[in-house]
Amino acid sequence: MNRPIRLVGLVMSLMVFALLANLTYFVVGREPALAADPANQRAVQADFDRQRGQILAASTVIAETAPAAAGGAFSRQRVYPNGPLYAPVTGYYSYVYGSRGLEHSFDKELAGTAADQWWQRLADTLAGRTPVGATVQTTIDPVLQQLAAEKLGDAKGAVVVLDPSTGAVRALVSSPSYDPNKLASHDFAAVEAAWSDLLADPGKPLSNRAARETYPPGSTAKLVVAAAALAAGYSPDSLIDTPATVQLPNSSSVLPNASACGNSQQTLANALRLSCNTSFALLGNQLGAEALRNQAEKFGFNRTHLDAIGDAASVYLARPDDKGDITPVEPDQAQLMMSSIGQWEIAASPLQMALVAAAIANDGVLMEPYLVSEIRAPNLNVLYSHEPQPSQAMEPADAQALQEMMLGVVASGTGTRAQLAGTAVGGKTGTAEWQPGQPPYAWFTAYAHDPDVVVAVFIESAGGEASDTAAGQLTGPIVRDLIAATR
Amino acid sequence: MAVDAIPAPGCRPRRNTELVLILVAQTVGLSAYLLTHLFRDNALPPAWLPVAAVWYGLGVATSLVVRWRAPYADPVLLPTVFALLGLGLSELHRLSLGLTELNLQFHYIAAVLGLVCFAAVVIILRDPRRLQVYPYFLSLVSFVLLLLPLVPGLGVEVNGSRIWINLFGFSLQPAEIAKLVLAASFAAYLTEQRDLLAQGGRKFLGVHLTRVRDIGPILLMWAVSLVIMVYEKDLGTSMLFFGLFTVMLYVATNQFRWLVCAAGLAVAGGLAAWRLFPHVRRRFVYWLDPFSVPDDATQILSAQYGLASGGLLGTGWGLGRPGLTPFSFNDMISTSLGEEIGIVGLMGIIVLYALLAFRGLACALRARDGFTKLFATGLSFGFLLQVFAIVGGATRLLPLTGLTSPFLSQGGSSLVANWLLVALLVVISHEVRRPHPTAKTDLAEEETMVMSARRLRQVAVGPVGPLLAVAPGQTPQPADREGPDGEDVPTAPIFPAADPPSRPPERQTATPAGQPPGQSSAPAYEQPFNQPVEQPPLTPSGQPLAPSGEPLPTPPADLPSAPLAGQPSTRLTGQPIAQPTDQPPGLPSDRTADPASPEAAR
């Protein structure tokens, strides 16, 4: 009977061989495609569960990866100390809803999977260490960020603080904000609930008002017209027609002044100081759309600046087409006049208005803004370091003239509430009526040379009357306090 | 002549080797448990010391039971089982950390219960051949067990398969036990019937009638398999039983026609099932092209992703995500392990399974009686077939069938049944390896042969002469053992007076040491099957042995004594040559070999 038993043994051997051969084939033939399959939950989860690097503001940790509670599907948990304050910068890192902000744009570096981190990965693997992602060092100053958020309080709005000489973003606050910790949670039901709460919130906390939303900039846009006028040969003392009202061409609408500008002429400096609508409407009409758009684009309109948080491009006599490309719009005279006072085919983010002030304050040189100064591998190798990117927005002399004009606004114009003893502050207020019957937007964009700083404040629901003076009263103290804090 | 199949009388017990191997194997499982917690929590589990104590305690206890009741058992069986069990328990524990629905309380109880059952079988069942006595009763039991889930009110349908019964609040899978009972009943039945099955059609005139009778059992098994597949929707069990029966039938008869016949029936049944049942068709689609139905084939796809994420070396204990796969603790435990200990680890597990099965098959080769051979073959093949089906299914070598992975899968019935299987293998291996007082010629070479009268004469005359030439007291040389294969050596009583009365004492103590003289008398079931003649136990020299072990008084030495051994023809006087020819051809009296044959002395 042993012969058939031996044959059975042979069959059993073949069965074992088939199992082992199949597994061998699996490693060679199937595994690569399976590992790269986007439907592979495990790859997605493994990516999610990496030891991501920290995000730092100065030496303050604003995002880090901590061990997760035992028993969950993941071993690590992304944590945002003081989450709502830094949410406009860090964004969130959610299994359910993906990522946003720096978490999104520096995902590979934070996760340690960027191409220039392969050597580190290999070394970690060979040494049996847990691969750790790189640290992202932001330019945010925790003190200014905290102060700006405090000053904004419950108001819907945003604050951007820039260093005009470098372009470093020192504060980027949007209010109201959200807690990214709730979106990074591993309790997916809770994440989904938090997400729908955020979407349903009338305050739109997920909106990044500082850089990802654009609004009519109101009178702050007069800086662009003034710069274009200086470039066209005007001087601060040039007299500009300033009637009490202007009948818009081919239109039944009449544009009045909102402040005491008289009914004759004003110097350019005075028109800016008092924020005279009619002066700038007529001036803009004179300069023409082309000149205005050119000057605006030199200030950074019609393009994006902070890819790190995916900012929205501010537009000036242009609008995004179906594909998102920004294409120029040719206005008629009435539209051009309204645009000159920041009300029609023009929309800017607080970041953009800060850039305008920064270019003026930096003697006409626009430093590209940046949020990430350095990316460091765990072994402190620098993987990325910001290079300054200057561009000429104005002639230096014109810029200095405009600085003087802006000083006048704060000294004795619409922005007197931003005065700071011992420091010369220059700025421009703005009010934009975006919908009849709704509270107007209030703007203030200001600079100081000692210390070198630019502050842009935007408040979405300014109470009270729709005048630049009112806007200055609302936003001026915030500007003042922030400049004071940088001293 | 398969020399390796003959047990050497000096087969060592090797119980100490076994104990060391068990402890090593247990350490593998314990390490897996500790590593899981170290990797996940950076700390040892709080209760690891008691767990380790109980775990090693069980191993030592098992070893002691075997030492006591089956000292000659194969020393590799239990360590292999403990290695598999340790890996399985660790992986299940690890899965339960992430899966709240996985409650392992009953599994742990079943693990201990399985050990108790193992001990009980090893203690009670001293000889596997006791199971040979009731072939039809065992068949009945196994069929009842198989079909129990179909009883309304008792059977429970879980996840589309009706293979469970609910008893006193416990879910049991009777098919797991049925597997063992069925192997025993097949072995018993086939041992009884194999000659009929092998020779049917040739032996009788009524060819047609015989064939129906022959084919009856295989048709019955086929029908039962189909019932399982159709009504219990259990493709795996159905395939397992039919395959088990077919292979045992083939081994019993050594005739390929049964394999061909069974393959035909299986193909017919499979095709019919393919046409009639969408769930069978789905299995094939999930196997061949799961990516075409990613929303339905989630289980197999997730298992594949898991294996891929583990890669060659695995993610490490507790660091993978096997819990994403549906039934990661049951059907897919092999890929769950593969994810965490890698393809290499999974291959190791397959090799462990193969080791267990092939040690079982080795018992079959060494066994001295047909029943044990068949039973051991059936147990080993059935075990490996199950492993092949479920591991192959989980790794996309085959369509997935819902079988359990022995010792790994969560499920008490499976665990207890597999412990029983190991108990049977231990008992068989002890029986096979222990030194026997009466050496047997090798059943291995026993062909189902038709022996002509001429051949019988040759056999009677040819090889025996030289054997007898061995002088009393002289150790027979292996070279003496000529003759065609030796399996047809005539029974001892042919030469009742080969020895003179004054036999040297050492020939009497040819029973191996450690075997009390009283036990040297072989029990009745050691007689060849189908041979009703009970013969008195023999001394090593062929003398009938009194119960005390003393040689019976020798008959009058009217035959020539040793010096005349060179003339065998003169010695045939009065020998009961008719005895072998009484039996049907093909039933050589293999079990009644002359103990004085060289095997006994070797």
Side-chain angles (χ1 to χ4, degrees):
Chain A
M1 216 190 284
N2 274 10
R3 201 183 72 86
I5 292 180
R6 286 213 177 78
L7 201 78
V8 170
L10 183 68
V11 170
M12 284 164 63
S13 310
L14 287 178
M15 278 155 56
V16 173
F17 175 78
L19 287 176
L20 298 180
N22 178 53
L23 285 176
T24 309
Y25 166 69
F26 180 90
V27 173
V28 181
R30 285 180 177 158
E31 193 188 308
L34 285 166
D37 192 333
N40 185 345
Q41 279 261 310
R42 284 170 175 82
V44 175
Q45 292 201 1
D47 273 351
F48 184 70
D49 210 18
R50 285 180 199 280
Q51 178 71 47
R52 288 169 78 84
Q54 295 177 326
I55 301 178
L56 297 179
S59 57
T60 305
V61 175
I62 59 177
E64 65 181 333
T65 294
F74 301 99
S75 55
R76 303 185 180 90
Q77 169 74 60
R78 196 68 169 157
V79 177
Y80 302 90
N82 216 343
L85 177 62
Y86 295 100
V89 177
T90 59
Y92 52 80
Y93 187 66
S94 166
Y95 187 76
V96 188
Y97 296 105
S99 56
R100 195 183 274 183
L102 293 184
E103 293 279 21
H104 179 74
S105 46
F106 291 94
D107 180 55
K108 280 196 158 65
E109 287 80 2
L110 286 167
T113 55
D116 45 3
Q117 281 162 284
W118 73 271
W119 176 247
Q120 181 75 33
R121 273 201 307 283
L122 182 67
D124 284 342
T125 308
L126 292 180
R129 288 188 299 258
T130 307
V132 179
T135 299
V136 171
Q137 176 70 55
T138 67
T139 54
I140 298 292
D141 179 341
V143 177
L144 286 179
Q145 182 85 359
Q146 181 73 45
L147 183 68
E150 275 171 22
K151 292 297 167 191
L152 266 179
D154 293 335
K156 281 196 262 180
V159 173
V160 175
V161 180
L162 290 180
D163 183 338
S165 59
T166 61
V169 179
R170 300 179 65 183
L172 192 94
V173 174
S174 175
S175 169
S177 189
Y178 62 94
D179 188 354
N181 288 309
K182 287 186 178 165
L183 298 179
S185 163
H186 298 166
D187 181 350
F188 297 154
V191 169
E192 281 168 28
W195 181 261
S196 43
D197 283 354
L198 289 173
L199 289 185
D201 191 326
K204 296 197 171 129
L206 283 173
S207 306
N208 185 341
R209 292 177 166 83
R212 286 171 59 88
E213 303 287 329
T214 58
Y215 309 90
S219 303
T220 50
K222 287 169 184 161
L223 290 173
V224 178
V225 182
L230 291 172
Y234 287 78
S235 77
D237 300 326
S238 306
L239 286 169
I240 314 289
D241 288 342
T242 311
T245 58
V246 168
Q247 172 69 44
L248 294 179
N250 306 322
S251 163
S252 58
S253 298
V254 173
L255 177 68
N257 280 322
S259 48
C261 296
N263 192 11
S264 56
Q265 286 187 319
Q266 292 282 2
T267 61
L268 184 57
N270 259 340
L272 187 76
R273 185 174 63 86
L274 299 171
S275 196
C276 300
N277 287 340
T278 53
S279 329
F280 280 93
L282 294 172
L283 182 59
N285 194 24
Q286 229 162 35
L287 293 168
E290 193 66 34
L292 292 183
R293 193 187 297 115
N294 278 346
Q295 182 59 56
E297 286 178 355
K298 285 182 181 172
F299 279 129
F301 277 90
N302 295 348
R303 60 189 160 94
T304 60
H305 299 278
L306 274 184
D307 290 340
I309 54 171
D311 68 329
S314 303
V315 291
Y316 199 103
L317 293 176
R319 66 166 72 128
D321 63 9
D322 297 342
K323 283 181 273 180
D325 294 334
I326 291 162
T327 48
V329 174
E330 292 312 324
D332 61 23
Q333 284 195 337
Q335 290 165 340
L336 183 56
M337 286 181 177
M338 289 305 287
S339 297
S340 303
I341 61 165
Q343 292 280 22
W344 188 69
E345 203 63 68
I346 166 168
S349 63
L351 172 69
Q352 178 58 56
M353 293 325 292
L355 284 180
V356 172
I360 297 165
N362 199 34
D363 292 346
V365 177
L366 175 70
M367 302 303 292
E368 271 299 309
Y370 65 99
L371 199 49
V372 173
S373 56
E374 207 170 73
I375 296 179
R376 289 185 297 270
N379 59 5
L380 300 184
N381 275 351
V382 174
L383 301 174
Y384 164 86
S385 170
H386 174 76
E387 297 287 334
Q389 293 164 278
S391 61
Q392 197 73 37
M394 297 175 75
E395 290 301 317
D398 291 349
Q400 280 155 8
L402 196 46
Q403 288 171 20
E404 291 294 324
M405 289 160 68
M406 287 170 75
L407 288 175
V409 173
V410 174
S412 60
T414 53
T416 51
R417 292 292 297 273
Q419 287 171 6
L420 180 63
T423 299
V425 177
K428 180 72 194 84
T429 57
T431 315
E433 283 183 83
W434 55 285
Q435 216 174 353
Q438 293 286 334
Y441 296 148
W443 290 87
F444 204 131
T445 179
Y447 79 91
H449 273 318
D450 180 27
D452 216 3
V453 68
V454 162
V455 178
V457 176
F458 164 72
I459 292 181
E460 197 173 311
S461 50
E465 53 176 317
S467 75
D468 275 18
T469 315
Q473 281 169 357
L474 190 68
T475 52
I478 302 177
V479 171
R480 181 195 61 209
D481 291 344
L482 284 170
I483 292 175
T486 57
R487 288 200 291 193
Chain B
M1 184 71 220
V3 175
D4 61 326
I6 299 167
C11 226
R12 290 190 299 150
R14 311 207 61 163
R15 293 275 68 83
N16 291 335
T17 312
E18 180 186 64
L19 181 59
V20 170
L21 285 178
I22 285 180
L23 293 178
V24 168
Q26 286 191 307
T27 306
V28 172
L30 185 71
S31 312
Y33 166 65
L34 298 181
L35 281 175
T36 300
H37 281 273
L38 278 176
F39 285 163
R40 285 175 73 95
D41 315 331
N42 287 323
L44 288 171
W48 78 274
L49 274 173
V51 166
V54 170
W55 176 234
Y56 284 119
L58 288 175
V60 172
T62 315
S63 163
L64 287 178
V65 169
V66 174
R67 192 181 288 256
W68 173 38
R69 295 300 267 189
Y72 285 93
D74 188 325
V76 178
L77 293 173
L78 278 177
T80 313
V81 170
F82 272 105
L84 285 168
L85 188 66
L87 291 173
L89 287 176
S90 296
E91 182 64 21
L92 285 175
H93 170 72
R94 176 259 173 279
L95 285 169
S96 73
L97 296 177
L99 293 173
T100 44
E101 74 265 27
L102 181 58
N103 186 348
L104 291 178
Q105 206 177 342
F106 287 113
H107 189 76
Y108 294 142
I109 294 173
V112 177
L113 187 69
L115 267 170
V116 171
C117 291
F118 169 87
V121 168
V122 172
I123 291 171
I124 294 167
L125 184 70
R126 299 309 304 274
D127 194 303
R129 276 161 293 189
R130 286 195 190 158
L131 298 173
Q132 189 182 352
V133 204
Y134 314 108
Y136 296 100
F137 175 69
L138 289 176
S139 305
L140 191 66
V141 168
S142 54
F143 287 154
V144 166
L145 282 173
L146 274 179
L147 301 179
L148 260 188
L150 295 177
V151 177
L154 194 62
V156 191
E157 181 159 335
V158 179
N159 304 317
S161 283
R162 199 182 170 93
I163 51 172
W164 300 83
I165 59 166
N166 216 328
L167 215 59
F168 312 118
F170 294 97
S171 292
L172 300 173
Q173 230 178 325
E176 293 285 350
I177 306 288
K179 185 175 63 183
L180 305 178
V181 183
L182 216 54
S185 69
F186 287 164
Y189 169 80
L190 291 171
T191 310
E192 233 180 65
Q193 300 289 325
R194 65 196 193 101
D195 303 300
L196 228 53
L197 292 170
Q199 303 200 345
R202 268 197 294 169
K203 189 167 181 179
F204 300 107
L205 290 172
V207 170
H208 185 68
L209 193 71
T210 314
R211 275 203 181 144
V212 168
R213 186 199 154 96
D214 287 353
I215 282 181
I218 196 169
L219 281 180
L220 178 67
M221 261 326 289
W222 184 64
V224 170
S225 296
L226 281 183
V227 166
I228 295 170
M229 182 163 70
V230 173
Y231 292 104
E232 302 187 7
K233 295 203 181 73
D234 189 359
L235 207 60
T237 308
S238 158
M239 182 218 68
L240 180 62
F241 290 140
F242 194 63
L244 181 64
F245 178 77
T246 307
V247 164
M248 288 178 73
L249 186 60
Y250 163 68
V251 171
T253 60
N254 191 14
Q255 286 182 346
F256 264 115
R257 62 185 173 118
W258 294 117
L259 292 183
V260 175
C261 187
L265 285 173
V267 168
L271 280 180
W274 168 278
R275 295 201 81 115
L276 291 175
F277 304 112
H279 73 268
V280 175
R281 268 199 302 276
R282 274 201 300 276
R283 292 276 168 115
F284 275 82
V285 173
Y286 294 174
W287 167 44
L288 292 172
D289 193 10
F291 294 96
S292 67
V293 281
D295 294 333
D296 297 324
T298 45
Q299 191 181 20
I300 190 73
L301 279 180
S302 181
Q304 293 272 297
Y305 288 137
L307 272 187
S309 80
L312 202 58
L313 298 175
T315 57
W317 281 99
L319 300 180
R321 293 181 170 77
L324 289 176
T325 307
F327 300 103
S328 55
F329 47 86
N330 197 328
D331 292 359
M332 293 302 184
I333 185 85
S334 50
T335 54
S336 296
L337 275 160
E339 179 173 350
E340 302 214 313
I341 59 178
I343 299 287
V344 172
L346 182 52
M347 284 182 163
I349 287 174
I350 292 170
V351 169
L352 282 178
Y353 276 137
L355 189 60
L356 202 60
F358 281 101
R359 295 305 282 212
L361 205 66
C363 291
L365 285 172
R366 301 173 82 146
R368 274 155 290 210
D369 68 287
F371 173 77
T372 309
K373 273 185 181 300
L374 270 177
F375 192 26
T377 308
L379 290 177
S380 314
F381 179 77
F383 180 81
L384 197 72
L385 185 60
Q386 179 171 355
V387 168
F388 181 62
I390 184 59
V391 177
T395 55
R396 264 185 79 203
L397 175 66
L398 305 167
L400 185 62
T401 48
L403 290 169
T404 55
S405 305
F407 299 110
L408 301 181
S409 290
Q410 183 255 355
S413 314
S414 163
L415 201 51
V416 171
N418 283 303
W419 266 118
L420 288 177
L421 184 145
V422 171
L424 290 170
L425 285 182
V426 162
V427 169
I428 289 172
S429 71
H430 166 70
E431 181 58 30
V432 163
R433 290 162 53 96
R434 83 182 161 91
H436 281 256
T438 51
K440 310 293 189 286
T441 45
D442 184 14
L443 196 68
E445 295 307 310
E446 184 208 341
E447 306 287 342
T448 316
M449 59 170 64
V450 181
M451 207 184 292
S452 67
R454 207 168 77 93
R455 166 115 172 92
L456 256 181
R457 267 196 306 281
Q458 275 181 349
V459 164
V461 175
V464 174
L467 278 179
L468 288 173
V470 178
Q474 187 184 338
T475 312
Q477 298 303 307
D480 290 346
R481 198 165 181 278
E482 303 287 355
D485 292 344
E487 70 266 44
D488 299 321
V489 173
T491 48
I494 298 172
F495 317 106
D499 289 331
S502 61
R503 222 153 27 89
E506 65 263 26
R507 292 300 303 270
Q508 292 177 27
T509 58
T511 46
Q515 197 76 25
Q519 281 192 5
S520 66
S521 58
Y525 47 69
E526 286 193 3
Q527 302 301 330
F529 40 80
N530 283 9
Q531 182 172 16
V533 187
E534 281 210 14
Q535 298 176 2
L538 304 171
T539 62
S541 58
Q543 260 187 316
L545 200 67
S548 66
E550 291 297 313
L552 291 172
T554 38
D558 55 354
L559 288 171
S561 56
L564 295 172
Q567 307 146 345
S569 55
T570 63
R571 319 176 85 221
L572 295 171
T573 333
Q575 69 176 12
I577 193 74
Q579 193 229 341
T581 50
D582 279 348
Q583 301 177 15
L587 281 179
S589 8
D590 50 279
R591 298 294 316 286
T592 50
D594 187 355
S597 69
E599 289 106 306
R602 247 190 307 159

